[in-house]
Amino acid sequence: MAHLLSGGLQGYVAVALLLFVIGLATVLLRRTLLMQFMGMELMLNAANVALLAFARWRGGDVQGTVTYLMIIAVAACEAAVGLALVIGLHRMRGTTDADRTASLKQ
Amino acid sequence: MTTWMSTHLLSFLVFSPGAAGLALLAFPERQARLAKLLGLLVAIALFGVSLRALSLTPDASGWLFLEHRPWFSVAGLPVDYRLGLDGLNLWLALLTALLVPVTMLATWSSLAKREGTFAGLLLLLETGVLGALLSQDMLFFYLFWEGMLIPTTFMIWIWGGEDRRYAGTKYFLYLASGSLLWLVGLLYLAGQAGSFSPELMAQAAAGLSLHAQGWLFLAFVLAFAIKFPIFPVHTWMPDAYSQAPVAAVPVGMLVKLGGYGFLRFVIPILPAAAARHSHVLAVLAVVAILFGSLVALVQRDMKKLVAYSSLAHMGFVLLGLASLSVIGVQGALLQLVNLGVSTTALFLMIGMLERRAGTTMIADFGGVASRMPVLTGFWLLAAMASIGLPLTNGFVGEFLILNGTFTSGFAWGRVAACLATLGVLLGAAYLLWMTKRVFWGAENADPDGGTAKLAQDLTARELAALLPLAALILWIGVHPRTFLAPSDRPVAQLLSDAQAPAPAAPALGTAAGSAPLSEVHE
Amino acid sequence: MFAVFALITLLGAVLMLLQKNVIQAGLCLALSFLGVAGLFVLLGNPVAGALQVIVYAGAILILVLFVIMLLNHHEEEPAERARPLQRWASVVLSALLGAGALALVLASPGLQALGAAGTPVEPMTLERVGTVLFRDHLLAVETVGLLLLAAMVGAVALVKKEL
Amino acid sequence: MMAKDFAALWPLVFPAVGACFLPLASLDREHDTAKWIRGVLYLVTLLALGGSFFYLADLWHVGGQPSFEALRMDRLAQFSGIFITVAAAITVLQAWDHFHQEGWVKAETLSLLLFSVTGMMLFTATSNLLLMFLGLELLSLPLYALVGTVRTRPEASEGAMKYFLTGAVASSCFLMGTVLLYGLTGTLDLSRAMASSAGSDPLFLAGAALLLLGFLFKTSAVPFHQWTPDAYQASPHPIAGFMSVATKGAAFVALLRAFPGALSLGAAGPKAQQAFAVLAVLTLVLGNLTALVQTDAKRMLAYSSISHAGYLLLGFVAGTPAAYTGILYYLAIYLAMNLGAFGLFTAYGLVGEDTSYDALRGLGWKRPLLGLYAAIFMLSLAGIPPFGGFFGKYLIFKELVGTGHTSLAVLGVLASLVSLAYYLRFLVALFLQAPTEALERRRAEQPAAPAALASASLFVAAFIVVMGGLAQGLLIPGFAQRAIEEGLKLVR
Amino acid sequence: MHSAWLIPVLPLLGFLLNLLFGKRAGKAFVSAAGVGSVALAFVLSVVAFKVMLAAPGHRLEIGYGEWMGAGAFSVPLGFVIDPLSGLMMLVITGIGFLIHLYSVGYMGEDKGYGRYFAYLNLFVFFMLLLVMGSSLPLLFVGWEGVGLCSYLLIGFDYDLPDDVPAQAGLKAFLYNRVGDLGVLMGMLALFAAFGTLTIGDILVKAGHLGPQLGFGLLTFATLMFFVGCTGKSAQLPLYLWLPDAMAGPTPVSALIHAATMVTSGVYLIVRMAPLFQLTPLTMDVIAWVGAATALFAATIAIVQTDIKKVLAYSTVSQLGYMFLGLGSAGFAAGFFHVFTHAWFKALLFLGAGSVIHALHHEQDLLKMGGLWKKMPVTGWTMLIATACIIGFPGTSGFASKDEILYLASLKSPVLYWMGVAGACCTAFYMLRLFTLAFLGEPRDAHAHEHAHESPATMTVPLVVLAIGALGATAFGWPAAFGGSFRIEAFLEPSVSYGAAAAEGVVRHGGNPALMAAISTALALGFAWWGWSSYKGGLALAEARAAKWPFLHRLLANKYFVDEGVDAALVRPLRWFGNLLWKLFDVIVIDGIGVNLPAALTRVSGDFIALLQTGRVRNYVLTMGLGALLLLYVFLK
């Protein structure tokens, strides 16, 4: 357990995975769409942490950073579309509570 | 044209009705009469063409006509385009071609709506039935086998009675359930054989364990038993028949495929299993005969009554097939033709009554004979055929079946035959009792009842529809050899290939005077 | 140092998860992002660290907060119904996944081998990134361009008032 | 670089360029765009798709192309390219009518569609994980927007939101999987990653599982399916059809590239196959049973599209080249029949959310030809011969039985029996149930707008379905099988 | 004699003509076609008979190729004319012709005139097929065909409001059908035993066998054949249909239900005589059933009031005698009784018909009386017939019945005494009938006033039949009374065809004269009693009925057999059918087997649909669980 905290690769990956799980938990536990949205951002970020950690231990692989660049672009795109959706939904329904937008079911 | 026809006769017969049918489906409702007329002309013309089959002579392997070419092949499993006409399906195919125009004529004015669609669906059905009858490749067969459910279901749906939605859907699901499970067995066997040709499948099946053969047999029989239908998987039938007065006839057109398929495919492909399990089939057959007859006895609706009667008749067919004897199988094959003729005639006539009276409940009628003497005459003939009176078709079939069963050499043969004869008695009971209640007696006094609405006897068109059937009833009854001769060799061949147990030799007096006494004490 | 930034990252994330107020949650998220940026720097990748601060903490979060302000919903709406099943199932699932993740990390021989063989590397520079980016990943760059445009068109299609 | 080196890229360029320029058309335009402009927009879209299609069709005669970076225009990619462009073209035809009926004709819609098409092609034409991820995003993001594009419909944004949220979680998982694979193998190329020695590392396997999740989400396999009915119901009919066909198709082709093509190399292959078996069972059971009880026809089609994913997954369980051929063939037929089925709503002029069975009552007789198409599509979806749908199931079941998965095959046929019940339900509504008086009045008051292009598209679809039943010789060995053999380099 | 096919085909032609044109063409056409075809058939039959007599072995076999067949089974289409079938042909066409002629008068007013003759002609056709057919299936064609005609003719007045004829027709057909099943099973057994169904071949093959003991195929076959006979020839327990069959027109009763069809059972057994002789068990059964029927039916006839019903029970009873004779190995005797019975019973029926015709379809004996003066011809001929049937010495009935009783006495004294008891009853009820109808005071003045002698077309047949009834003795007269039983020798070629050694019938011992004397004396005594009981009207009879009410009710209600059958068979069957349908078919198979799985599928669908809650968090949770599942599969 101790070497998880010593700044080795395993530590980074562990942090990344935990961050991923916390993001997922946010999506699962919070009703507010914006919160869930933030949870998703966390999940993407978790991937970034793992990615750059691996890249570091792969001899400073530049591919990692390049991929990272792509990922933040994707994150931005998702943010744009996601926020637009939240705004649209709020306009239509007057709520940003995910549990209240459940008219399509079964 | 003639040269093309002389090499593609079967393709033409199978596919041209479907093409015409599709075209008719696209006719708008306001031109229904035209569509109907065109449909009739096409059907008659096709029947005419189909008669060419009578002039064919069998080749060395028994085919009257064979079209065979590869169709497609995936992963080493070829599917062939293979249509073949031989003695087994000759009469069934001709009968199918005949029944289509007959049905059209008989229902000429009884459809309240969408007459063109009916003609179209009927022609599509003809493609399905003929295709299934003539296919000699299992997958190719399966296409028609399953595909013919489509037009039939629509017929039940569109022209059915109160419960038509339930009946139609039930019909489709019921029949599909059997054939879908069969498909799995078929694919398994095809995988073993590397082909869908029955011959190769038979070879492959022979190499399988008895256990595996038993499962395959179950899968095969289930599909055919449902189509037959055989007790206890028959419950689609009363609904389908009674909900679809007009469409009952087309339904009748395709039930013969159950027996035919069993004969054509199950016996040759799985002969060992068929012989091993024949007693099960025989029990089912006898139960079907007795059950169908007893239930028919208490029906209040003519259509249901005839429906259950056909269950009993199908029991005879199965009994004949299960006997695996030449006599029994020949009888079964003839009985399939008979059903197509006499049960169809009965249904057609019930339809004619229904068109006039708007009901098919027995209690609504009484004394029909005084209003419609001609119809009554035809009815009596068809009823007698259905009962199995000699000189009608029913007798020959039933007698051969009973004979084949009795002498089949199976331990159950004699008991089954004797029990089955009870069906002959009950058949007379329910059908003539119904005849009495519907046709004899004083006219039903109820002004809203059925009899009061029977204004007119048969029309010329209805007559034209019934006459060929009546002629066939008598022809088969008087001169059955016409219909038995083509299948003599194929059936014998099929059963000897299948290595069915040899029928019991006559117990007494074969060798003149030398029969020992002990043989008699059985 | 790693432990500190890791702690900041995870703590920020957990805090965000637990916040009632959306704005505060956003700020906690920013904290977490900053922790991630710190981790990147520790990994010898200042480029990524800078980008993390600029793009994530800067652009994306600001966008989120902006939307929050726009919608004027700072507090979570009251729940229609308590959904204990959803809650506890989620908690259990997350716990399982989290524990599983740690177990996986510890149990993975590949990871161990890779971590052990790690050699110190020189810090990442923008030049290297740029070179590789435009030499080997042209298609990806173009695709990301398309993606951005698509997102823009999509966002506009979804919310533009006078469309 | 020679022009030839771009050969692999060209199919993507057509839709991408179209997508980029289309939005310009509606900038600064008033609400009512002139009809000719609308026409030009649709024409341009069709041209973009057509250009790609014909280029691909041309390439098909040549064979595999040299890669452009990690973009591989091999036969499998060509297959999926053709598949996607045809689906999109049919969608565009239906969209013309549908959006006119809805009164919501926008250039953005077409642009988003083309972006999505580009993304799908990219997704299926590479084994580079980064490009795959980008392709996945490029196909998903426009779709999120497309689902909610008709903003006047009250449920549009809800469906879009649900799709987005679940989709984003799924692509995060995909990404995490990608990163883990990269981390443990040092390469972003899937084939090489799979072949590497780290193949049995638990973390690697976890990464593979997460990656698989990303694919399965797009194929809407149970339990990653729950967005499907909601998103389909919320979206405009043609878009729902497009999503059900093209997205699923692209996901399956990508899965083919990933799994038999690459994953089978390592320890993850058998595991994946087990997972496929479990998920296929779940998908078949849940998809069909839920579809059975739907009261809304469009929702029923959504669940049916879930269940079709189950059949396709069965093909992966069988795992032979013939089964993969079957999957591709199934997809090709599925394209026609499902787009046809969804197109019926457009052709019948149903607008808004009212797609219940009751809204369909009696429509089968209004226009007999459409009724005929409907019957063809539904029966083909149910796998009734002689339509193409049967042969798709045939090819897959045959391999299942041949590889000893008889019980799965039995489950499959039972599932298709259940499916028959609900497809017949659709036909019952069309042909058997008389419309209620209220419905008659409403139809009289608001006569359905003519939908000539949609009807034409239905004809094309019906033609493909019927031909799929009669001309397998063309489709199976000539098209699907070559794509598998020469694309995946699998010899039989 | 290749043109023998004309004999059956002529009536068939008549049938077709009358069926197709009977309605539009006039009465003359119908009569010509109907009567003429039978007359021609009769002429041809006579010719055929003569040719047969000239032929070696008195046997003509005419073949027309194969009728039906499959595999080893083949049935030729062929006719056999030998003494047995030749005589039957003569009876059928001869008496048939007379009855056709009689019908011209009797049915003259009926609206279904053409239909009537069509049916009648068809009957003759089938009956001829029955007797001429060279193989059992062909015989069976006729066997069932006559049943059909019987059905059609009994229900001839199908539109009567009370349904009686239709019901009676149905009943007749069904009871016959039970018997037909017997024949069918018998044929199956014979084919299994011999591999052929051609009668000649069977008999030849059987001829090589000794008497069979135990219950083998042969016994089964012959027993089944006898079951067929009980149906067709109205023996216990299948006799029930025949009294009801009187609902048909009277000439039909005469032809079908007295003279010809009902005797086909006897014909069958005589035809297969060598086979039956091999199976002693069957012979015993036949004898006992015959004797029981003879007695049983005779007792019922005593109290019947419908003139035709009396005759019907009388027919049943007489048929019983025939079987008694057959069972006692007196094939010729049994058949001779067929022959004599054909004459006098036809005569009785036609006479009764004449009475009924005169009284405007009044059939109740209690309303008749005093017709002797008004209808002399009918009266005299009826008297002759009555004398015949009660076995008045010197009549044909005496000759045939007493031969049977003699043979029975050789088999068992009990059989003999049963026969005698039946004969006594016969004498009683016949005199009762005659007295009530012709003697005494008219009991219905109105009807009596309008009564008149029938037209010539009706009386001529009566006279001819009366002559025949008396003259039939020419064919056989008991040796004990100085005659010779010529018919026995005449039938010998048929009865013992194929038998290796003509073992003949045991007819030695006993005292034939004494036997005849006892039975005749007793019968005459009862005849006198019958006459004396009714000569003064009904008072005496009513007093007796009052004295023994139970017995009277038992007899008047025919021992409640109909009711018993209804309660024990018909209703349970219907109940069982309903049970099978409603419980088994609808609930068990369709409900539990079909609809329940469907419903369960649907319910589980409903349940699963609840998982789709519409809340997106829930969807993600499901995905999370799915991820867990995937991870489990990959990592396990």
Side-chain angles (χ1 to χ4, degrees), chain B residues 175-517:
Chain B
L175 270 80
S177 66
S179 34
L180 280 171
L181 287 173
W182 176 47
L183 181 63
V184 178
L186 194 60
L187 293 178
Y188 176 77
L189 195 52
Q192 299 292 320
S195 161
F196 278 105
S197 95
E199 295 86 354
L200 292 176
M201 280 185 154
Q203 282 174 18
L208 292 174
S209 72
L210 270 182
H211 182 71
Q213 284 194 38
W215 278 106
L216 282 173
F217 185 69
L218 183 68
F220 273 63
V221 165
L222 185 65
F224 293 116
I226 290 178
K227 186 86 101 189
F228 238 110
I230 279 303
F231 178 90
V233 285
H234 63 276
T235 49
W236 61 267
M237 179 198 59
D239 285 310
Y241 279 159
S242 67
Q243 287 306 319
V246 185
V249 177
V251 175
M253 250 169 80
L254 54 80
V255 289
K256 60 176 175 273
L257 283 166
Y260 168 76
F262 189 90
L263 171 64
R264 167 73 83 184
F265 299 119
V266 179
I267 296 178
I269 292 179
L270 297 161
R276 235 165 88 95
H277 302 290
S278 64
H279 62 284
V280 180
L281 298 178
V283 168
L284 287 180
V286 171
V287 171
I289 292 170
L290 298 181
F291 179 90
S293 305
L294 281 173
V295 175
L297 202 56
V298 293
Q299 294 304 312
R300 299 177 197 115
D301 183 338
M302 288 194 260
K303 287 174 295 183
K304 282 206 173 176
L305 192 148
V306 179
Y308 276 107
S309 91
S310 78
L311 174 63
H313 285 123
M314 280 304 178
F316 274 103
V317 175
L318 183 65
L319 191 61
L321 294 174
S323 77
L324 297 180
S325 67
V326 175
I327 305 173
V329 170
Q330 279 274 50
L333 202 50
L334 188 68
Q335 187 72 348
L336 286 173
V337 178
N338 294 344
L339 274 170
V341 176
S342 40
T343 308
T344 303
L346 289 177
F347 270 124
L348 285 179
M349 283 183 266
I350 293 174
M352 291 168 190
L353 281 178
E354 188 181 24
R355 175 169 81 84
R356 293 167 170 82
T359 168
T360 56
M361 300 308 289
I362 294 174
D364 286 335
F365 291 95
V368 171
S370 23
R371 293 230 175 193
M372 303 180 71
V374 181
L375 176 80
T376 308
F378 278 104
W379 175 272
L380 274 179
L381 181 65
M384 289 303 159
S386 187
I387 289 171
L389 201 83
L391 289 196
T392 63
N393 53 3
F395 170 70
V396 184
E398 279 176 7
F399 188 69
L400 289 177
I401 288 169
L402 291 173
N403 205 335
T405 309
F406 201 92
T407 56
S408 63
F410 284 115
W412 46 262
R414 294 181 180 182
V415 182
C418 290
L419 286 175
T421 52
L422 288 180
V424 179
L425 168 68
L426 290 170
Y430 59 73
L431 212 51
L432 289 185
W433 190 36
M434 165 185 154
T435 306
K436 187 210 131 194
R437 286 178 290 168
V438 173
F439 290 91
W440 309 140
E443 286 182 20
N444 193 327
D446 182 3
D448 296 327
T451 313
K453 294 180 192 144
L454 303 174
Q456 147 212 42
D457 209 340
L458 295 186
T459 64
R461 270 189 293 267
E462 287 168 333
L463 212 56
L466 290 178
L467 273 176
L469 297 180
L472 270 178
I473 286 176
L474 291 173
W475 187 359
I476 301 177
V478 172
H479 197 255
R481 286 303 301 161
T482 319
F483 298 84
L484 290 169
S487 49
D488 269 343
R489 211 175 64 146
V491 167
Q493 183 70 32
L494 185 147
L495 289 174
S496 72
D497 285 354
Q499 289 159 344
L508 301 170
T510 35
S514 64
L517 261 180

Side-chain angles (χ1 to χ4, degrees), chain E residues 101-387:
Chain E
L101 192 62
Y102 177 89
S103 301
V104 172
Y106 187 84
M107 297 299 289
E109 313 299 320
D110 203 287
K111 63 176 165 28
Y113 192 70
R115 191 160 58 92
Y116 174 83
F117 275 99
Y119 290 166
L120 221 51
N121 282 341
L122 186 65
F123 169 79
V124 174
F125 161 70
F126 276 124
M127 197 65 210
L128 286 169
L129 266 192
L130 195 161
V131 298
M132 293 170 73
S134 69
S135 62
L136 285 170
L138 207 56
L139 180 148
F140 191 68
V141 171
W143 185 272
E144 288 239 287
V146 293
L148 166 72
C149 296
S150 161
Y151 164 75
L152 291 172
L153 283 165
I154 295 170
F156 181 71
D157 291 316
Y158 59 82
D159 50 356
L160 291 187
D162 57 359
D163 257 14
V164 169
Q167 178 64 36
L170 177 63
K171 190 170 171 184
F173 196 94
L174 292 184
Y175 276 91
N176 267 300
R177 193 89 205 198
V178 177
D180 297 351
L181 293 194
V183 181
L184 196 59
M185 286 195 236
M187 285 198 285
L188 299 181
L190 285 186
F191 182 72
F194 296 111
T196 175
L197 283 181
T198 309
I199 297 174
D201 294 350
I202 291 178
L203 294 182
V204 167
K205 286 185 176 170
H208 299 293
L209 302 168
Q212 305 295 312
L213 303 170
F215 193 83
L217 262 185
L218 276 191
T219 309
F220 176 76
T222 49
L223 271 179
M224 283 299 120
F225 275 144
F226 179 60
V227 169
C229 298
T230 60
K232 192 69 54 189
S233 298
Q235 295 297 290
L236 281 174
L238 297 180
Y239 70 98
L240 287 164
W241 64 272
L242 187 57
D244 285 18
M246 297 304 128
T250 308
V252 170
S253 307
L255 178 63
I256 300 182
H257 304 123
T260 52
M261 184 186 94
V262 288
T263 61
S264 46
V266 181
Y267 169 81
L268 175 65
I269 293 181
V270 177
R271 171 56 81 207
M272 307 297 289
L275 209 59
F276 278 83
Q277 280 182 312
L278 291 176
T279 53
L281 177 66
T282 314
M283 293 297 274
D284 291 348
V285 171
I286 295 174
W288 284 97
V289 170
T293 312
L295 179 56
F296 180 81
T299 57
I300 299 177
I302 293 174
V303 297
Q304 297 304 313
T305 55
D306 183 320
I307 185 169
K308 286 180 69 182
K309 281 267 163 80
V310 176
L311 291 178
Y313 280 104
S314 152
T315 308
V316 175
S317 171
Q318 296 300 312
L319 289 164
Y321 284 107
M322 297 172 201
F323 283 98
L324 177 58
L326 298 179
S328 310
F331 296 106
F335 187 75
F336 186 47
H337 198 55
V338 169
F339 183 67
T340 56
H341 179 255
W343 294 104
F344 61 69
K345 188 49 71 60
L347 177 53
L348 279 173
F349 267 111
L350 292 190
S354 177
V355 170
I356 293 166
H357 190 66
L359 295 180
H360 296 283
H361 296 277
E362 179 54 67
Q363 303 195 8
D364 192 348
L365 279 172
L366 304 183
K367 295 186 179 157
M368 297 178 183
L371 291 172
W372 183 259
K373 294 263 168 51
K374 290 239 172 185
M375 309 177 69
V377 182
T378 309
W380 274 108
T381 49
M382 279 291 269
L383 190 60
I384 293 170
T386 307

Side-chain angles (χ1 to χ4, degrees), chain E residues 410-433:
Chain E
L410 293 180
K411 194 173 179 82
S412 159
V414 182
L415 289 174
Y416 172 75
W417 285 109
M418 284 169 81
V420 171
C424 294
C425 295
T426 309
F428 182 84
Y429 68 70
M430 279 317 295
L431 263 294
R432 169 178 176 265
L433 183 149

Side-chain angles (χ1 to χ4, degrees), chain E residues 528-539:
Chain E
W528 177 83
W529 188 28
W531 170 73
S532 61
S533 302
Y534 290 94
K535 66 176 185 216
L538 299 168

